[in-house]
Amino acid sequence: LLDEKLVNIKVCDPAIGSGAFPVGMMSEIVKTRNVLSSYIKGKDRTIYNFKRECIEKSLYGVDIDSGAVEIAKLRLWLSLVVDEEDIKQIKPLPNLDYKIVCGDSLLGVEKNLFNLSLFSELERLKPLLFNETIPKKKQEYKKQIDEIITQITDGHKDFDFEVYFSEVFHEKKGFDVVIANPPYLGEKGHKEIFRKVKQGLLSKFYLGKMDYFYFFFHLSINIAKNNSSIAFITTNYYPTAMGAKKLRQDFKERGIIKNLMNFNELRIFESALGQHNMIT
């Protein structure tokens, strides 16, 4: 039962960046399942199979930067094959197009969530695409999936969690784990970026003098299931900042703070300026 539960953990990174977090989560899941192999026997219980199952059934990620998406895919592909000594046992690399997605996590779209037949077809096609190796069939599956998404969203092009990752919400009512290192941006000099979010589904969380990463915290609570875990690394100003009043209120109403790890002025990222980081 524990092994089955680990396979079904749904992990989301709504701001992929370097792709390190999804790979790190995969490593933890695989290590735990491998320990259980002392008690659960089977020829298919290999590191390679554990990783492939984790990528297929557990990991999801989004980033607005297409380069970050490709890097994350590459890291997952490389981590998948690095431990397989027999090259003949390596299957063709899986298709990650609807697992690691390029899009703006914070926008979302108005959609008809009750169109169950379309969602059922969408969730039938995605696993077929994941394992398909014939290029022509892959293109056919992608075309069908995109057409269904267009119908559900009434033609809107913006990324939406409940559409692209619909199986997570139908199976589990949200993600078990949400992890992110979101962008740190003030509204000054970034008004256009803020304007898009202020007009979207997270508009009620806007407050003057807020930081952009606050929206990601609100989003993470929206997409996480009850009794889930959320972990972010951000700057450490929000516990006292005036612009974070709505964020602190949301934490109070919809979550429980388990731990705040304040790094103060310790440099966590080599290239970033003005670092005052904290893990929440």
Side-chain angles (χ1 to χ4, degrees), residues 145-267:
I145 290 169
D146 288 339
E147 287 175 351
I148 292 171
I149 290 174
T150 298
Q151 291 181 62
I152 293 172
T153 62
D154 196 25
H156 289 281
K157 301 298 184 181
D158 292 322
F159 169 82
D160 188 275
F161 284 91
E162 293 184 56
V163 176
Y164 282 77
F165 304 151
S166 60
E167 63 273 18
V168 175
F169 298 91
H170 290 157
E171 292 173 14
K172 310 201 74 174
K173 309 302 181 186
F175 290 96
D176 298 287
V177 180
V178 181
I179 51 178
N181 172 21
Y184 316 150
L185 298 172
E187 191 168 9
K188 185 178 180 180
H190 303 99
K191 289 188 180 296
E192 182 60 25
I193 296 174
F194 274 76
R195 184 188 65 79
K196 290 180 180 180
V197 184
K198 285 161 59 176
Q199 295 175 349
L201 301 181
L202 296 171
S203 59
K204 68 177 182 179
F205 298 116
Y206 172 74
L207 185 65
K209 298 184 179 180
M210 70 179 294
D211 195 292
Y212 195 62
F213 77 76
Y214 300 175
F215 285 123
F216 282 87
F217 267 129
H218 296 298
L219 168 71
S220 69
I221 300 174
N222 287 353
I223 65 175
K225 61 182 283 192
N226 287 337
N227 299 313
S228 60
S229 297
I230 297 170
F232 275 43
I233 183 167
T234 67
T235 55
N236 62 4
Y237 306 126
Y238 80 81
T240 56
M242 290 296 293
K245 183 178 179 180
K246 286 189 176 182
L247 178 61
R248 294 191 295 269
Q249 186 66 30
D250 198 19
F251 283 172
K252 180 179 178 181
E253 293 175 355
R254 296 199 291 163
I256 299 171
I257 297 290
K258 303 299 288 278
N259 189 28
L260 296 176
M261 188 183 301
N262 192 348
F263 293 97
N264 293 309
E265 295 184 12
L266 182 67
R267 294 189 67 82

Side-chain angles (χ1 to χ4, degrees), residues 73-85:
K73 288 180 180 179
L74 179 61
R75 292 187 69 154
L76 288 171
W77 284 329
L78 291 175
S79 66
L80 183 61
V81 301
V82 70
D83 290 319
E84 181 56 67
E85 296 179 359

Side-chain angles (χ1 to χ4, degrees), residues 79-177:
S79 66
L80 183 61
V81 301
V82 70
D83 290 319
E84 181 56 67
E85 296 179 359
D86 185 356
I87 193 170
K88 295 180 180 178
Q89 298 299 316
I90 297 177
K91 301 176 184 177
L93 294 172
N95 300 294
L96 303 180
D97 290 341
Y98 300 93
K99 301 286 294 180
I100 309 297
V101 180
C102 184
D104 191 329
S105 295
L106 300 180
L107 296 185
V109 298
E110 296 290 345
K111 61 269 179 187
N112 180 4
L113 293 177
F114 299 101
N115 202 331
L116 298 181
S117 61
L118 285 177
F119 277 108
S120 295
E121 182 63 7
L122 181 64
E123 288 157 25
R124 184 187 71 84
L125 289 170
K126 283 194 284 185
L128 297 179
L129 174 64
F130 182 86
N131 290 300
E132 185 55 64
T133 59
I134 301 174
K136 186 176 180 180
K137 284 192 174 182
K138 284 197 288 188
Q139 291 304 315
E140 289 175 357
Y141 285 140
K142 287 185 66 174
K143 182 179 179 181
Q144 292 177 60
I145 290 169
D146 288 339
E147 287 175 351
I148 292 171
I149 290 174
T150 298
Q151 291 181 62
I152 293 172
T153 62
D154 196 25
H156 289 281
K157 301 298 184 181
D158 292 322
F159 169 82
D160 188 275
F161 284 91
E162 293 184 56
V163 176
Y164 282 77
F165 304 151
S166 60
E167 63 273 18
V168 175
F169 298 91
H170 290 157
E171 292 173 14
K172 310 201 74 174
K173 309 302 181 186
F175 290 96
D176 298 287
V177 180

